[in-house]
Amino acid sequence: MTSTHKPTVIVLGTGFAGFSFIKRADTKSLAVTVVSPRNYFLFTPLLPSTTVGTIEFRSIIEPVRAARKGIAYYHASCTSIDGRGRTITCEGVFDKRSFSLGFDDLVIAVGGRSNTYNIAGVEEHALFLKDLADARLIRQRIIANFEQAANPTVPEEEQRRLLHFVVVGGGPTGVEFAAEMHDFLTQDLQKSFRALMPLVRITVLEASDHILNSFDATLSDYTLRLFQRQRIDVRTKSLVTRVDDGAIHLQNGTMIPYGLVVWSTGIGAVALVQSFDVPKDQHGRILVDEFLRVEGFSSVYAAGDCATIRGNVIPATAQVAQQQGTYLATELLHRSRGKPARPFRYRHYGMLAYIGSGRALADLAAYKGKGFSTWLFWRSAYLTKLVSLKNKMLVVFDWFKTFVFGRDISRF
């Protein structure tokens, strides 16, 4: 389909699955085109750290255009897929003009969105934590709430509301944000807003009976005890039914005033996946076979958070998406050379999470760690996973700067 007669592969998305494919694809044998409304790769495991300034935003992103030579990139959104005709329709991010692209193989790696479960008021009043724009909004809101509460005309009841930071969802992202928020309060904000500190609260709402469900129970219990010492209020079996402007309503009738709500309750399907007429699971994810092929198509693949293997439940994590992207890059090259396909095999390397006060968790196959030494391991592990030397150096500098000078509390 191209002048060089190389098979054309279109990749939708620049998350872990799409970016891993881009980095590993053989551009000498495959003509790779990337379509995504986001022209960078984001290292999401460190995203909670950017919400309070522990790490700066640009330290954890990689420009797609600079990631690999020999690829074509379009700053656009895919709006529809014609799997039979092997074409996609796209819309430019800036001018909204439509255009079509043909493919020999298509890799759908568009990720997911924050799942609101159709709860009233979430879209209007809560903030999510999926991208850099979300983290920046959270960072601005935190400082704005403190500055507003510090004004002499604000009554104490309103101060308490403004300084109540609520996290909905007790998974790794929600827990890590609560931990980062605690550090920000105790290490930086208390120096400038000391009089307001007795009014500040952090609350974590979890619908199930314990936080960090994907971690070993002993590590989850350790986190709960640490949060109690840090005065972070963890409320399990707390199902949110409605979010108003300034108050959250729970199923048990409780109303919780808030100044900021961070919604982190799982992954939902994006509009493209919802509109793609293929078999999906109960969560709206595309069903694929053991070769990551979309059911009914021989040349359409799906990977990462937007897909799930039928009969093989794998967690929607960054390491899964990364392995699937790498697998597809290898398998499509083999396929173009007439080699037999091999099924995808996921290798679980364990899970890490930061829980505040210089402590972290490590849930690995051979090691269940917690505390300060695990925090050092957490930092070194994520540092090695960052893509470029530039970002490794920037993150190390950010950590050093935060340790020596503290986090910046300016709002701009």
Side-chain angles (χ1 to χ4, degrees):
M1 296 183 68
T2 64
S3 58
T4 56
H5 304 291
K6 295 188 292 187
T8 300
V9 181
I10 295 181
V11 182
L12 303 180
T14 52
F16 270 93
F19 196 74
S20 297
F21 183 95
I22 295 165
K23 295 293 285 186
R24 294 298 185 95
D26 185 347
T27 55
K28 294 181 180 179
S29 302
L30 302 172
V32 180
T33 298
V34 182
V35 177
S36 176
R38 194 175 74 180
N39 71 345
Y40 58 86
F41 163 72
L42 170 65
F43 190 76
T44 52
L46 290 177
L47 185 60
S49 296
T50 66
T51 61
V52 297
T54 307
I55 294 174
E56 291 303 322
F57 302 121
R58 291 191 178 275
S59 298
I60 59 170
I61 61 174
E62 294 281 349
V64 172
R65 290 186 180 277
R68 187 72 185 278
K69 293 181 179 179
I71 67 167
Y73 170 75
Y74 297 110
H75 199 182
S77 298
C78 177
T79 55
S80 66
I81 299 169
D82 180 359
R84 308 291 178 200
R86 297 192 179 188
T87 60
I88 61 171
T89 302
C90 306
E91 182 180 85
V93 168
F94 303 109
D95 57 17
K96 304 302 180 183
R97 293 180 180 176
S98 295
F99 59 92
S100 297
L101 297 173
F103 62 84
D104 292 304
D105 292 292
L106 175 68
V107 176
I108 305 171
V110 293
R113 63 175 180 84
S114 297
N115 198 338
T116 66
Y117 299 98
N118 296 317
I119 295 174
V122 175
E123 293 280 0
E124 295 82 2
H125 305 299
L127 296 183
F128 303 105
L129 188 49
K130 292 288 290 182
D131 209 338
L132 283 181
D134 302 326
R136 188 172 186 272
L137 284 174
I138 291 170
R139 191 163 166 179
Q140 288 181 313
R141 180 74 67 84
I142 292 169
I143 302 302
N145 284 13
F146 269 91
E147 294 292 0
Q148 184 178 348
N151 285 341
T153 58
V154 179
E156 183 176 316
E157 182 179 358
E158 178 66 2
Q159 287 178 321
R160 291 184 182 276
R161 183 191 69 80
L162 287 168
L163 300 178
H164 188 190
F165 303 94
V166 178
V167 183
V168 181
T173 301
V175 165
E176 289 191 328
F177 170 73
E180 292 283 358
M181 186 67 208
H182 168 267
D183 290 354
F184 193 27
L185 289 171
T186 58
Q187 298 171 11
D188 302 283
L189 289 171
Q190 70 167 352
K191 298 175 184 177
S192 299
F193 300 96
R194 189 172 299 276
L196 296 176
M197 285 301 111
L199 307 178
V200 179
R201 288 187 298 159
I202 302 173
T203 299
V204 178
L205 302 177
E206 169 56 41
S208 67
D209 57 0
H210 62 285
I211 59 174
L212 295 175
N213 293 319
S214 57
F215 279 72
D216 184 84
T218 59
L219 300 179
S220 174
D221 293 341
Y222 172 80
T223 303
L224 185 60
R225 294 194 300 272
L226 178 64
F227 274 14
Q228 289 171 344
R229 293 198 299 270
Q230 293 173 337
R231 297 176 63 187
I232 297 175
D233 182 18
V234 178
R235 303 189 189 186
T236 57
K237 299 181 181 179
S238 298
L239 187 65
V240 176
T241 57
R242 191 173 84 249
V243 180
D244 293 336
D245 184 12
I248 290 179
H249 299 266
L250 304 183
Q251 191 177 50
N252 61 10
T254 303
M255 185 188 74
I256 303 175
Y258 70 85
L260 167 65
V261 172
V262 175
W263 193 270
S264 178
T265 59
I267 299 168
V270 300
L272 176 66
V273 172
Q274 291 175 352
S275 65
F276 192 25
D277 187 17
V278 292
K280 303 183 183 79
D281 71 354
Q282 66 271 27
H283 302 294
R285 294 178 297 183
I286 299 170
L287 287 170
V288 297
D289 64 13
E290 60 185 346
F291 304 101
L292 304 188
R293 290 179 303 205
V294 177
E295 295 187 1
F297 300 95
S298 61
S299 58
V300 179
Y301 303 82
D305 292 349
C306 68
T308 186
I309 301 172
R310 184 185 286 276
N312 184 11
V313 179
I314 298 176
T317 62
Q319 63 176 304
V320 171
Q322 188 173 41
Q323 290 180 38
Q324 289 180 338
T326 301
Y327 161 83
L328 282 176
T330 302
E331 287 306 308
L332 289 187
L333 176 61
H334 287 172
R335 177 176 168 176
S336 71
R337 294 176 176 176
K339 295 182 179 181
R342 300 172 302 172
F344 171 73
R345 294 289 182 263
Y346 168 57
R347 184 176 179 183
H348 184 63
Y349 292 102
M351 296 175 291
L352 302 171
Y354 179 62
I355 55 175
S357 301
R359 293 173 174 85
L361 307 177
D363 190 348
L364 312 178
Y367 174 69
K368 310 293 181 186
K370 58 186 183 295
F372 177 74
S373 60
T374 305
W375 173 70
L376 295 177
F377 173 73
W378 172 83
R379 282 200 163 184
S380 61
Y382 279 170
L383 193 62
T384 61
K385 290 291 184 181
L386 286 165
V387 177
S388 67
L389 177 62
K390 179 200 73 172
N391 279 24
K392 291 180 187 353
M393 294 180 65
L394 287 174
V395 167
V396 168
F397 179 73
D398 288 341
W399 282 337
F400 175 77
K401 182 178 64 175
T402 297
F403 177 75
V404 175
F405 301 108
R407 300 166 183 83
D408 185 80
I409 62 170
S410 303
R411 183 178 183 272
F412 56 90

